[in-house]
Amino acid sequence: MKRILSLMIATLALACSGPDMSDAGEEGSESIATQENAVTYSLCGSHTLNCPVGYTRVGQLCSSHCSALGYSCSPLGYNETLCFKPDPVVGTISATPTNVRINLDVTQTGTTNICFDVSGITEGEVWLSVNNQSEVLFARGDNFCQAAPWITAGNTFAFKLYSGRAHTTLLATATVTGEGYRGGTNPPPQCGPCQSGYSCFCGDRVCRRDGTLCP
């Protein structure tokens, strides 16, 4: 919200010197393209009710700039529309490890760590589906990690990151599988310890640099 307000103020300050949409159309398509690639710009004309695709209307006012160009503020009370292009909504989610090995001679559950991040929105939600069943809310926020200490053998856990709270726009998914084994005092070899910056996030007992892709 602070960013939108500051951009509105900046747009008002530039309104007297910046071209309106009608001027841009007279100057040529290059001017229109330049305006539509901007984060904010204004449109003159009391008939203007909507901003171009990808932009959000953040205000309408009666400005001296548009009045000087011959656009009356009557009868709607405004002759300039302020348009704002929001940041693209993106999100990432990861699970460490993606393959949770569980020694069934010792315990019935294992742990994975879920980390997610969103930008262009104030928060996202992570919903969990076990074996493709109905989803339940796992976490909500903008950028943090949360442990899932209840991974069980023979099951698949899909952690799905959605935009906002509407639970409609899927941004990313991290899938975790639980693998049980019985090793007694001689379990199969485990991954690590890994040096700083490396971990076993691929689940195949190989230390890999954090942020790299799994094979």
Side-chain angles (χ1 to χ4, degrees), residues 78-92:
Y78 62 87
N79 61 2
E80 183 174 10
T81 298
L82 305 180
C83 300
F84 166 71
K85 179 189 287 185
D87 292 332
V89 176
V90 295
T92 60

Side-chain angles (χ1 to χ4, degrees), residues 7 9 23 28 57 62 70 81 88 104 107 114 133 142 158 167 169 172 184-185 199 204 206:
L7 290 172
I9 294 172
D23 291 343
R57 188 180 66 197
C62 181
T81 298
L104 299 178
T107 183
I114 304 298
Q133 299 300 308
D142 59 353
H167 195 204
T169 304
T185 57
S199 63
D204 55 3
V206 177

Side-chain angles (χ1 to χ4, degrees), residues 31-187:
S31 296
I32 295 176
T34 300
Q35 272 193 292
E36 292 187 352
N37 288 333
V39 175
T40 63
Y41 68 91
S42 64
L43 303 174
C44 281
S46 59
H47 63 280
T48 302
L49 298 178
N50 296 308
C51 294
V53 175
Y55 285 79
T56 300
R57 188 180 66 197
V58 294
Q60 292 175 308
L61 67 155
C62 181
S63 75
S64 57
H65 164 66
C66 291
S67 295
L69 294 174
Y71 293 98
S72 172
C73 296
S74 300
L76 299 179
Y78 62 87
N79 61 2
E80 183 174 10
T81 298
L82 305 180
C83 300
F84 166 71
K85 179 189 287 185
D87 292 332
V89 176
V90 295
T92 60
I93 187 170
S94 63
T96 308
T98 56
N99 184 35
V100 179
R101 289 180 52 79
I102 305 164
N103 186 343
L104 299 178
D105 289 339
V106 178
T107 183
Q108 296 298 308
T109 59
T111 299
T112 189
N113 199 39
I114 304 298
C115 296
F116 67 95
D117 177 55
V118 294
S119 62
I121 49 176
T122 57
E123 66 178 359
E125 290 184 338
V126 177
W127 288 70
L128 169 65
S129 173
V130 182
N131 298 331
N132 294 318
Q133 299 300 308
S134 59
E135 300 176 9
V136 296
L137 182 63
F138 171 73
R140 177 186 292 136
D142 59 353
N143 180 12
F144 68 92
C145 298
Q146 183 166 314
W150 26 253
I151 304 300
T152 50
N155 296 304
T156 300
F157 302 79
F159 295 86
K160 302 179 180 182
L161 175 61
Y162 288 89
S163 172
R165 299 192 180 190
H167 195 204
T168 55
T169 304
L170 180 64
L171 300 177
T173 301
T175 302
V176 176
T177 57
E179 178 187 350
Y181 70 92
R182 295 189 181 276
T185 57
N186 187 28

